[in-house]
Amino acid sequence: MLAEKMRPFLGGSSAIRRMFNEGERQRREFGAENVFDFSIGNPNVPAPPEVADAVRYELDNEDPVFLHGYMPNVGYADVREAIADSLSKKFGASYTKEDIVMTVGAGTALVLTFYTLLDEDDEIIVFAPYFLAYGNYAANFGGKLRVVPANTETFQPDLAKMESLIGPRTKAVVINSPNNPSGVIYSAETLKALADILERKQQELGISIALISDEPYRELVYDDDIEVPFVPDYYRNTIVEYSYSKTLSLPGERLGYIAFTHDMDEKSDLVAAAAAGIVNLGFTNAPSLFQRAVMRCLDARVDIGIYKKNRDTLMDGLAAIGYDFAKPQGAFYLFIKTPLADDNAFCDLAAEHHILMAPGSAFGCPGYARISYCVAYDTIVRSMPAFREVWEASAAQQ
Ligand code: PLP
């Protein structure tokens, strides 16, 4: 009965979910207070109060038949207009509601975009470390990932390598800044250099190459002097994938959008194809109540001071023990070099000390591990002796 293509997925969940499940098991066995679970990026900071107010407002004031009904597949027109206006005002861009497609989080935004762009054997270029789901999303449509190996000095993209991978089957390059798992933000200079290469390659090969900017962490930035450049400012053929999962702490509500740059190549066809994709892939539309509620609080923000305090305490504590990492400027992850060369073995060793982390291999970057610091501050403080034990146990194994 089972499709052959599903067999590779039967081994269970990803390495990240495996660690999360191990955390569940350990909590039952040892008590939640004795487990330091840094495995997944599930925000611990509550959604801003404006969200609950907006949901209540909608429930109290909107016609329930309308509120819980179907709407155009691409989302409510007034919601898309509010998002287009907000983006245009914030970034000096010129979006209209016709450029916006509401989606079921960034995951679905990416799936729809890949569906829209990929024919069998088309290629998407990604930079390690990267969100591993990109590969499965592309494979759904016969697409293939070409991976630029990590530049572990800075975790900025290796553009020369990217250029060497671009060919006639290249449909898109995906970037994710602030980055999961490194926390690095791509600078304006980097984006300009990247855009210059893409422009040149488009000319040379006579094709259009999309730059997919996967930005669910856009507003999670901790240092005043750092800005997240707006990618469409640098490259016209940019497709932004946005999500409210992290920036408004609403991961379970499943809301995001695709913003097609107003004057990008084949824009109207791409939007029409994405609209067809929502139907063909069975999503039908993004969640109705949360579209309407989020429209009322587009400028609301979670308290990022909580994440910043977590980040700083974690960095200070781990650096004092001896762990090596690049300072994360955004998102809520710290990507450490594992003191054991085998990152899976290191994460297993850490799990014996009740620390759950995601191995770097799960992001195409072996030799590293991701610590999700979207956890209670107290968990970070109390985990430090265990991190020291793991450091010492690793040294003993070498
Ligand atoms: N892209 C990246 C880089 C992510 O880290 C995540 C979630 O962790 C997603 C996309 C998917 O997010 P969503 O919950 O909006 O589907």
Side-chain angles (χ1 to χ4, degrees):
M1 188 181 283
L2 185 76
E4 284 308 311
K5 69 172 183 304
M6 295 312 296
R7 296 217 179 270
F9 296 99
L10 300 185
S13 40
S14 66
I16 302 173
R17 278 279 162 179
R18 191 169 61 77
M19 279 294 160
F20 179 71
N21 294 341
E22 172 64 8
E24 294 271 270
R25 191 194 67 73
Q26 290 198 6
R27 277 189 281 279
R28 281 195 302 276
E29 188 174 339
F30 304 108
E33 68 288 0
N34 297 313
V35 180
F36 310 112
D37 189 348
F38 301 102
S39 61
I40 67 167
N42 202 8
N44 72 307
V45 173
E50 291 92 326
V51 173
D53 290 346
V55 169
R56 255 181 242 111
Y57 179 90
E58 288 294 325
L59 289 170
D60 291 346
N61 295 286
E62 202 62 88
D63 169 13
V65 173
F66 169 76
L67 186 60
H68 302 302
Y70 291 126
M71 83 287 309
N73 301 109
V74 290
Y76 286 109
D78 55 349
V79 173
R80 290 182 292 122
E81 185 156 27
I83 289 171
D85 289 351
S86 157
L87 283 175
S88 300
K89 193 164 139 222
K90 193 162 165 201
F91 298 112
S94 53
Y95 288 101
T96 70
K97 64 177 184 302
E98 275 73 37
D99 307 327
I100 309 293
V101 174
M102 301 307 297
T103 65
V104 187
T108 304
L110 288 156
V111 166
L112 280 175
T113 303
F114 288 2
Y115 184 58
T116 300
L117 296 176
L118 293 174
D119 285 312
E120 194 77 24
D121 292 332
D122 279 345
E123 294 175 356
I124 303 256
I125 296 177
V126 299
F127 297 95
Y130 65 98
F131 186 54
L132 224 62
Y134 295 152
N136 295 333
Y137 293 166
N140 286 332
F141 312 110
K144 296 201 168 62
L145 289 195
R146 306 292 309 270
V147 181
V148 178
N151 163 4
T152 53
E153 285 297 305
T154 60
F155 289 100
Q156 291 285 330
D158 178 345
L159 297 180
K161 182 71 190 166
M162 175 198 80
E163 181 164 6
S164 74
L165 293 182
I166 296 176
R169 299 309 301 253
T170 305
K171 280 296 181 73
V173 173
V174 182
I175 56 173
N176 164 227
S177 163
N179 184 262
N180 172 13
S182 71
V184 159
I185 293 170
Y186 294 177
S187 66
E189 293 70 39
T190 297
L191 292 175
K192 176 142 188 5
L194 194 160
D196 287 348
I197 295 171
L198 292 184
E199 297 285 6
R200 193 168 65 242
K201 284 290 178 185
Q202 289 193 134
Q203 289 280 326
E204 217 176 281
L205 296 164
I207 56 174
S208 295
I209 303 174
L211 179 56
I212 297 176
S213 179
D214 179 23
E215 33 187 85
Y217 304 94
R218 189 198 291 148
E219 277 83 25
L220 303 185
V221 180
Y222 305 116
D223 299 309
D224 292 341
D225 54 335
I226 307 266
E227 253 189 49
V228 181
F230 189 55
V231 181
D233 282 347
Y234 298 85
Y235 186 67
R236 191 172 51 82
N237 282 335
T238 297
I239 302 173
V240 169
E241 323 282 2
Y242 190 76
S243 169
Y244 297 98
S245 293
K246 319 285 176 168
T247 58
L248 282 185
S249 288
L250 297 173
E253 304 302 348
R254 314 302 305 131
L255 190 69
Y257 62 79
I258 308 174
F260 293 93
T261 302
H262 188 65
D263 58 350
M264 71 182 295
D265 295 350
E266 296 183 277
K267 202 277 311 289
S268 307
D269 287 349
L270 291 173
V271 173
I278 295 176
V279 179
N280 295 357
L281 297 172
F283 298 108
T284 304
N285 57 252
S288 172
L289 172 60
F290 270 82
Q291 281 193 55
R292 305 219 57 79
V294 163
M295 174 180 68
R296 300 193 170 278
C297 43
L298 289 177
D299 293 327
R301 293 286 171 264
V302 294
D303 180 357
I304 58 166
I306 298 173
Y307 293 138
K308 182 177 190 316
K309 187 173 162 203
N310 283 1
R311 179 198 68 166
D312 293 346
T313 302
L314 185 65
M315 284 197 308
D316 290 350
L318 294 186
I321 295 170
Y323 287 97
D324 187 10
F325 51 82
K327 181 181 178 183
Q329 299 161 315
F332 38 50
Y333 307 107
L334 183 71
F335 205 44
I336 58 169
K337 191 166 168 35
T338 53
L340 295 179
D342 180 341
D343 52 304
N344 283 298
F346 174 75
C347 288
D348 288 343
L349 176 67
E352 287 172 22
H353 295 262
H354 306 317
I355 296 179
L356 290 321
M357 292 177 265
S361 309
F363 303 91
C365 191
Y368 286 78
R370 185 192 76 174
I371 302 173
S372 297
Y373 58 80
C374 44
V375 298
Y377 180 69
D378 180 54
T379 302
I380 291 176
V381 174
R382 286 185 308 102
S383 68
M384 284 303 143
F387 271 112
R388 185 174 289 281
E389 283 168 27
V390 176
W391 177 262
E392 285 163 4
S394 300
Q397 283 193 17
Q398 277 162 354

